[in-house]
Amino acid sequence: MNYKLENWLIEEYPSLFEMTDNEIKAINNQEKFPCRGGWFLIINTVFELLVKRSSEVKINQVEETYGFLLVTFSNYKNKDYDYIFGVCNMAHNLSEITCEICGQQGAMFNAHYVTARCNLHNGLYLRDQKDGVLDNLPFRVENLGDRWYQMIVTLYEKILMHQKCNEMPEVTITQVKKTNGKLVIGYYGGDESTKGMIEFLLAYSMKINDDTGQVISRTEYENLLSI
């Protein structure tokens, strides 16, 4: 990732890093997060939610691993672990459908290595984009663009997986809709990891176009993304 993006993240969320001001300045020209800039908004959303949840948690690593974004953490309180895991796990899953170059809607493909790319930056797809997409979700979905819909499908698929493999309590999603430009997810059940997954999607959705996934937030980091 471009070092200016990395430094912005570290300076914006200093409590997540065991670094002094001098150490932060010393890494200006060193790669801290070995991944591409298209995942910047995903990482920013993870950091944003983690600092809201805990003043103790620390980031160990942020990197691309086997085509996915991996965020690991430590120094958390036990009561916060499931929520933080849910946030980081959903970021990991979302990276599979997010172009690592530009951040827009993408799919996994294999060129020289496995990664996620959009149509503009694509190669040979490992699977069709529609593979695994549920045509008949068991809850109402209203007025969603393609990007938000793809995110909801990913969320639902991962909830089913966690219920089956990781003993997540049953989750019932009652409705998903766009209201006044915001993504709304109605649900009950689940646990703190479910809450982390859903709150990640809600926070991330506020930063992107619901149809393409292109950044829409008019904030300081948007200028960084044009680098």
Side-chain angles (χ1 to χ4, degrees):
M1 182 181 291
N2 183 288
Y3 74 89
K4 290 185 179 180
L5 297 179
E6 295 178 332
N7 289 342
W8 187 93
L9 288 166
I10 293 170
E11 292 171 3
E12 186 73 7
Y13 306 103
S15 70
L16 294 176
F17 302 92
E18 297 280 8
M19 301 177 68
T20 65
D21 290 342
N22 287 335
E23 287 173 329
I24 291 175
K25 292 177 182 178
I27 67 166
N28 277 352
N29 295 309
Q30 300 176 14
E31 186 176 45
K32 178 68 175 177
F33 309 139
C35 63
R36 304 294 289 270
W39 289 343
F40 172 79
L41 286 182
I42 295 178
I43 298 168
N44 181 51
T45 305
V46 170
F47 289 3
E48 174 186 299
L49 292 175
L50 263 54
V51 298
K52 287 181 180 178
R53 178 71 182 211
S54 170
S55 60
E56 293 87 8
V57 65
K58 303 298 179 184
I59 294 296
N60 292 340
Q61 62 183 141
V62 177
E63 63 180 355
E64 182 273 328
T65 303
Y66 301 112
F68 291 84
L69 174 66
L70 177 67
V71 180
T72 62
F73 53 90
S74 60
N75 204 50
Y76 51 85
K77 291 183 177 179
N78 288 338
K79 66 182 179 65
D80 295 323
Y81 173 80
D82 287 346
Y83 177 86
I84 295 171
F85 170 80
V87 169
C88 294
N89 184 250
M90 198 64 231
H92 173 86
N93 295 324
L94 190 62
S95 68
E96 181 186 10
I97 57 171
T98 304
C99 179
E100 66 164 1
I101 302 297
C102 68
Q104 297 191 59
Q105 180 170 308
M108 297 296 280
F109 84 99
N110 187 14
H112 300 295
Y113 63 99
V114 178
T115 189
R117 295 287 177 88
C118 65
N119 290 335
L120 179 63
H121 299 112
N122 71 352
L124 177 63
Y125 283 122
L126 294 178
R127 61 175 176 82
D128 187 270
Q129 284 189 334
K130 295 184 182 298
D131 282 358
V133 174
L134 305 176
D135 293 326
N136 297 302
L137 294 169
F139 48 84
R140 293 170 58 194
V141 177
E142 301 177 16
N143 305 320
L144 297 192
D146 287 345
R147 177 57 170 167
W148 283 9
Y149 181 79
Q150 190 183 40
M151 288 163 51
I152 292 300
V153 169
T154 299
L155 170 67
Y156 183 63
E157 289 179 333
K158 299 310 175 183
I159 285 176
L160 292 180
M161 183 275 292
H162 284 300
Q163 289 179 161
K164 180 179 180 180
C165 302
N166 297 327
E167 299 183 348
M168 178 184 284
E170 184 175 351
V171 180
T172 300
I173 297 176
T174 56
Q175 186 179 50
V176 178
K177 61 183 178 179
K178 181 180 180 181
T179 302
N180 297 324
K182 295 183 178 181
L183 178 62
V184 177
I185 302 174
Y187 77 101
Y188 59 87
D191 55 16
E192 283 292 297
S193 63
T194 315
K195 181 180 179 181
M197 293 170 70
I198 291 175
E199 289 194 357
F200 173 85
L201 279 197
L202 294 176
Y204 182 73
S205 71
M206 294 298 295
K207 299 177 174 68
I208 61 170
N209 178 277
D210 69 315
D211 195 46
T212 66
Q214 185 175 12
V215 58
I216 58 172
S217 300
R218 310 301 297 184
T219 60
E220 179 181 353
Y221 60 72
E222 187 177 9
N223 293 326
L224 293 172
L225 290 172
S226 63
I227 295 172

